[in-house]
Amino acid sequence: MGKTTGWARAARIWSVLAGCLLTVACSATDDGRDDGRDDVRPALPTEINAPGEWSSDEGVSGPVAALGHATRMLRQGPLGEVESMETFTVSALDGRASWLDLPDHVLSRTYGDTIAVSPDGRWIGWVRNDDPFRSGRRWVGGYALMDTTTGEVRTLVDRRSPSGLLRPHESAEIAFSGDSRHLLTSYSLPGPGGRSSRGHQFVAWDVESAEPTVLEEPGEYWLPNLGSASSGVVWSRDTEVFRADSATGARTSVRLPQDVASVSWGPDDTAIAYTESGGGVWGLHVGATVEEAAAREVQLPADAPLGPLLGWKDATHVVVGHYRTWVHVVDVETGESERVDLAGEGQTFNAPRIATGLWQEPLRTPEPRTGTSDPRRFAWWASPLVIAALLAYVVGVTRPLRTSGTATRTSPRRP
């Protein structure tokens, strides 16, 4: 048999190391996910997780259960990293979280709640921050909608603004109507009147036609308190609650004995719940009718700070939010309550927004998180192996040369 050369020996070493590196790479990148989905109804997960910091999952492919912001890590070179805050969604079909790029949504420049998800999980709305600072004031480039079932993005433009810029109040939030048919916004138009504290107007954008409807003209001193119902748009000012029919534009109102901060009608459009905020005192009122709710205040546990109303589980159980992922389900007939905690894993900024219309489905266990392990571990494992392979190559090539040189050396002839 012939001698093994340095090149052949190095080749064998490289083949063994390549197998090791392939095994490590597979273990670092395989997340074990099965992309097959059953035909299921949209629902909220038992816990709302942010994507793994290193997750590469992006985009949406169906209704969304929750929407929020979280920390994301990206590789920079073999061993470097970049940290950023990005938007993520949680699927209403399997509970998986993924990153989402919203065009013209600049997170570092936003105020308040500048993203929203519709109660049915189909629509995502956000503020477009083309020019958020102009002459020392907040200006935005309008709003936008995404249909999560198709990925289509629609830009909402108020044609009454020649520049296309709008000026929301710094406390203004965006939200969807209870029937998921309108994105609700408050803003003023450019011009002298827009700089007034009474210059803003309450505008509802139709998600299908992308057309705006002005529900309140400029003149009100403060922003409306948004509410919900199974149909139409609901909002309140002081003790008066307004409802506008989405189809006909007809408007009705009801006056309650307390100042209303948040109000919601049940699925049967009869039961009602609202929170009062008069004189700095907060309270929760629930009842099978408006008259019953006005006369009955429900006490929640002492450790449960009263927050917005986040939908209904059925005609007699309303969901009262605290930090969105921590809620109480209150029976409007008995006043009894049950705590539900949806908080999951991941470093989020503020609590995610929830698709409040999905409470009526049983909560579903989400798929496991992916992207929780640092992919740079492959480079950490590979570096010493590559160095060892290079050393083996150098030794394998140079040793035969030194041996050959010694074997051919001869002693000088004696005379």
Side-chain angles (χ1 to χ4, degrees):
M1 295 179 65
K3 291 184 179 180
T4 301
T5 65
W7 284 103
R9 192 159 40 244
R12 284 205 301 270
I13 294 173
W14 273 107
S15 65
V16 173
L17 290 175
C20 296
L21 294 175
L22 181 60
T23 301
V24 174
C26 291
S27 64
T29 57
D30 181 20
D31 58 18
R33 284 176 55 162
D34 179 8
D35 288 333
R37 290 182 184 176
D38 296 328
D39 185 14
V40 296
R41 292 175 61 86
L44 293 175
T46 55
E47 58 181 30
I48 297 175
N49 298 315
E53 291 184 342
W54 296 97
S55 174
S56 60
D57 296 336
E58 296 180 339
V60 292
S61 57
V64 168
L67 177 71
H69 299 137
T71 299
R72 185 179 188 182
M73 306 295 293
L74 295 173
R75 291 182 64 173
Q76 187 176 55
L79 299 176
E81 66 181 42
V82 176
E83 178 179 327
S84 63
M85 181 175 67
E86 297 195 18
T87 304
F88 73 90
T89 64
V90 175
S91 170
L93 301 180
D94 56 24
R96 294 175 180 171
S98 59
W99 303 110
L100 180 63
D101 179 27
L102 299 178
D104 299 325
H105 184 54
V106 184
L107 297 180
S108 61
R109 298 179 177 179
T110 59
Y111 296 73
D113 282 349
T114 56
I115 56 174
V117 59
S118 63
D120 62 4
R122 177 180 175 182
W123 300 95
I124 293 174
W126 67 95
V127 177
R128 296 174 54 243
N129 294 287
D130 292 345
D131 188 5
F133 296 107
R134 182 183 180 190
S135 302
R137 296 178 178 272
R138 181 191 178 198
W139 292 89
V140 302
Y143 304 90
L145 290 169
M146 175 183 289
D147 185 342
T148 62
T149 62
T150 64
E152 178 189 1
V153 173
R154 303 177 183 179
T155 301
L156 307 181
V157 179
D158 192 325
R159 289 183 288 273
R160 296 173 299 167
S161 171
S163 65
L165 295 176
L166 306 174
R167 182 176 176 245
H169 189 278
E170 291 186 6
S171 299
E173 300 179 353
I174 63 172
F176 282 89
S177 58
D179 58 8
S180 300
R181 294 182 57 180
H182 290 87
L183 179 67
L184 309 179
T185 62
S186 293
Y187 58 85
S188 59
L189 297 172
R195 298 179 180 272
S196 167
S197 60
R198 298 179 183 271
H200 57 262
Q201 52 196 320
F202 182 36
V203 181
W205 298 82
D206 189 295
V207 297
E208 295 291 349
S209 66
E211 290 297 321
T213 298
V214 178
L215 298 177
E216 285 187 343
E217 295 287 353
E220 297 289 348
Y221 176 70
W222 194 244
L223 302 172
N225 293 320
L226 304 182
S228 67
S230 57
S231 64
V233 180
V234 179
W235 72 100
S236 65
R237 288 189 175 278
D238 300 325
T239 62
E240 192 169 9
V241 180
F242 301 91
R243 294 187 62 169
D245 186 279
S246 302
T248 65
R251 184 175 305 187
T252 59
S253 67
V254 59
R255 192 172 293 277
L256 296 169
Q258 302 89 5
D259 285 344
V260 178
S262 178
V263 60
S264 181
W265 268 272
D268 60 359
D269 212 26
T270 301
I272 187 174
Y274 67 91
T275 58
E276 63 166 304
S277 60
V281 178
W282 290 78
L284 172 65
H285 291 258
V286 297
T289 64
V290 171
E291 293 75 18
E292 182 178 315
R296 187 173 67 174
E297 181 177 351
V298 174
Q299 297 296 326
L300 293 180
D303 63 344
L306 193 58
L309 303 177
L310 298 179
W312 294 71
K313 284 189 68 69
D314 52 48
T316 59
H317 290 84
V318 65
V319 181
V320 182
H322 306 297
Y323 297 103
R324 295 196 180 97
T325 52
W326 172 33
V327 305
H328 272 83
V329 179
V330 181
D331 189 319
V332 298
E333 295 179 346
T334 66
E336 296 180 353
S337 64
E338 175 189 3
R339 173 172 169 155
V340 178
D341 194 344
L342 301 183
E345 300 178 345
Q347 183 179 348
T348 61
F349 293 83
N350 299 322
R353 287 76 176 155
I354 296 175
T356 56
L358 303 184
W359 281 107
Q360 298 179 35
E361 294 293 328
L363 301 182
R364 184 177 299 128
T365 302
E367 294 290 331
R369 294 175 76 213
T370 62
T372 57
S373 58
D374 191 337
R376 294 173 300 171
R377 65 178 182 174
F378 170 66
W380 295 335
W381 280 90
S383 298
L385 294 177
V386 170
I387 293 173
L390 291 174
L391 290 175
Y393 167 74
V394 173
V395 172
V397 171
T398 58
R399 181 176 294 175
L401 294 178
R402 289 199 301 270
T403 303
S404 175
T406 303
T408 57
R409 187 179 299 165
T410 58
S411 301
R413 294 183 179 180
R414 295 181 179 179

